[in-house]
Amino acid sequence: MSYEQYSTSAQWNVEPPLWLPHYGARFFTAVRRYWRKYATFSGRASRSEYWWSVLFTGLVGLVIDGVDEIVRLSMRNSGMGGFDDPSDLGAALAWIWAAIIFIPTISILVRRLHDINMSGWMIFIGLFPLIGAIVLLVFTLMRPNPAGRRFDNVPSNATLL
């Protein structure tokens, strides 16, 4: 099987190697690849890999917010007062989660930009208020561009069966 066939097909019985994007990835596969490629800024990420990881990180963030709210309500209802200090448990968990996902979130966005054949440096468009976030959102929704293969780091010992 050729590299082109392997890297563009969405129907596979096995997961492609980490150096290739996984088109049509399912939730748990995408999350696993998100963590395994923690600080990998080279290569590409498919739309499914990107959006499943966004959903995962968002859901964990919502769970952290929910735990924080439950703790606040239980403390308020028990007469112990509320946790209104910014250093409370929920805020601490949220900051820890943000620190944990900071690098992999940037790296998967860079790989997603590579998949549409854009430089990873385009991530800095996001620094422009509002318009930058909208542009990045549009970029992440775009279809893959075959010319993005130029960002793949094909290992010298890679064999495709």
Side-chain angles (χ1 to χ4, degrees):
M1 179 176 304
S2 72
Y3 170 76
E4 289 78 19
Q5 290 170 328
Y6 194 84
S7 64
T8 59
S9 176
Q11 299 298 322
W12 287 98
N13 294 330
V14 295
E15 183 178 332
L18 285 177
W19 54 269
L20 281 175
H22 189 342
Y23 297 106
R26 297 183 191 274
F27 180 77
F28 291 110
T29 303
V31 170
R32 184 175 56 248
R33 289 173 69 91
Y34 172 78
W35 291 115
R36 290 181 77 190
K37 296 170 109 176
Y38 189 91
T40 304
F41 292 88
S42 61
R44 297 177 290 155
S46 67
R47 280 188 292 190
S48 57
E49 284 180 88
Y50 177 78
W51 285 109
W52 283 127
S53 66
V54 167
L55 178 65
F56 168 74
T57 56
L59 287 175
V60 172
L62 285 175
V63 168
I64 290 171
D65 287 344
V67 167
D68 179 45
E69 193 59 33
I70 290 170
V71 169
R72 286 178 192 262
L73 288 174
S74 66
M75 296 300 284
R76 195 171 294 133
N77 292 338
S78 66
M80 297 174 65
F83 278 94
D84 292 326
D85 185 67
S87 63
D88 67 344
L89 174 66
L93 288 175
W95 278 104
I96 290 168
W97 179 242
I100 289 170
I101 66 169
F102 181 74
I103 291 174
T105 299
I106 290 174
S107 72
I108 198 166
L109 179 55
V110 167
R111 292 193 314 271
R112 181 70 200 116
L113 289 171
H114 289 171
D115 196 42
I116 61 169
N117 196 30
M118 294 211 170
S119 169
W121 293 105
M122 295 295 283
I123 196 171
F124 289 111
I125 286 177
L127 295 176
F128 292 100
L130 187 62
I131 211 75
I134 292 170
V135 169
L136 281 177
L137 174 66
V138 170
F139 285 167
T140 60
L141 293 171
M142 290 175 68
R143 297 180 63 77
N145 184 336
R149 288 188 197 119
R150 68 187 175 111
F151 293 105
D152 289 346
N153 285 336
V154 181
S156 59
N157 62 349
T159 58
L160 299 176
L161 301 176

